[in-house]
Amino acid sequence: MPHTSTADAVFAALIPVVEGLAATFGRSCEVVLHDYRDQERSVVAVAGGVTGRRVGDAMSEIGLRVLAAGDDARNEVGYVTRAQDGKVLKCTTLPLRDVDGSLIGALCVNVDVSAINRATGVLSDLLGLSALEEPPAATTNFSGDLDQVVESLVERAERTHAVPVTSLSRDERLGLVRSLHEAGVFALRGAPGRVAQRLGISRAGLYNDLAELKKDTP
């Protein structure tokens, strides 16, 4: 278990840093501090309004991935994602650790680069240059509610299979459960109950699916 006093000291030291970083980079920047000891309300400090996060919000899909990686979590610097309102974000996620190396949270920096992308397109047009085609960024749910985050992941799977999750075959459902596992959903306390209800199966049925996936993992 993490040493609470050390973890508290880490967050106390970083809270002023959140405001300072966001102020340095201006209104297109948002800095969010997460304490993973309270998964339902992991946001303990936020500055900037890029994703609309608030203190007391839960982690996003990105946070789930970091939480699932646990002690193996590493810095993720400069990756691109898209918020649900269409903003293109360049993000950095820095896992935070206690004195014994245990994962206790994350410091996240989100920069809205939508205006830069538009300006680049305008300049390319004016100069007669061809804008570089970039692959579309994946959309991330920043709702601040864990149930909504899990729901967005399930809905993504529904779109992939073009049928409701309750109509999936066993093999298709195993694929969905695998994708949820890879997304870090099952690192959450109480996640199996949430997911089983959404899939229309019993908790025991979900545990059977997870056991089946473990047998397939080398």
Side-chain angles (χ1 to χ4, degrees):
M1 294 293 292
H3 302 292
T4 302
S5 59
T6 307
D8 287 343
V10 169
F11 293 114
L14 284 175
I15 286 175
V17 174
V18 168
E19 290 284 351
L21 281 176
T24 298
F25 291 102
R27 61 185 180 182
S28 64
C29 178
E30 173 188 80
V31 183
V32 185
L33 180 62
H34 289 274
D35 182 347
Y36 288 165
R37 294 174 298 173
D38 186 351
Q39 298 170 356
E40 300 278 350
R41 298 171 55 84
S42 69
V43 177
V44 293
V46 59
V50 173
T51 67
R53 315 304 299 279
R54 298 287 183 270
V55 171
D57 279 355
M59 65 190 72
S60 69
E61 300 168 35
I62 297 166
L64 289 180
R65 186 174 67 241
V66 176
L67 181 64
D71 294 344
D72 294 326
R74 296 290 180 266
N75 291 349
E76 298 184 33
V77 179
Y79 59 90
V80 177
T81 189
R82 188 181 297 273
Q84 289 182 297
D85 62 2
K87 292 176 183 173
V88 178
L89 309 180
K90 186 174 184 180
C91 305
T92 289
T93 300
L94 308 174
L96 303 174
R97 302 183 189 284
D98 209 335
V99 66
D100 62 358
S102 299
L103 180 72
I104 57 172
L107 181 67
C108 304
V109 181
N110 305 313
V111 179
D112 181 0
V113 295
S114 305
I116 296 174
N117 284 356
R118 289 193 295 271
T120 299
V122 170
L123 289 173
S124 296
D125 288 344
L126 289 173
L127 295 172
L129 301 175
S130 298
L132 294 176
E133 289 287 336
E134 294 187 4
T139 300
T140 297
N141 188 317
F142 292 101
S143 72
D145 182 282
L146 279 181
D147 285 328
Q148 289 186 30
V149 171
V150 173
E151 177 68 18
S152 71
L153 291 167
V154 174
E155 287 179 350
R156 193 174 300 162
E158 284 183 318
R159 290 193 297 272
T160 299
H161 293 285
V163 293
V165 292
T166 52
S167 300
L168 296 177
S169 68
R170 175 75 195 291
D171 286 344
E172 289 171 334
R173 193 178 76 224
L174 281 173
L176 167 59
V177 173
R178 179 182 290 106
S179 68
L180 293 177
H181 175 69
E182 291 171 350
V185 168
F186 296 108
L188 293 170
R189 289 184 292 269
R194 277 188 172 107
V195 174
Q197 182 177 17
R198 180 62 177 82
L199 299 184
I201 61 175
S202 67
R203 189 176 301 192
L206 179 61
Y207 282 126
N208 287 338
D209 288 349
L210 290 170
E212 188 71 23
L213 293 178
K214 286 182 180 178
K215 288 193 296 185
D216 294 338
T217 302

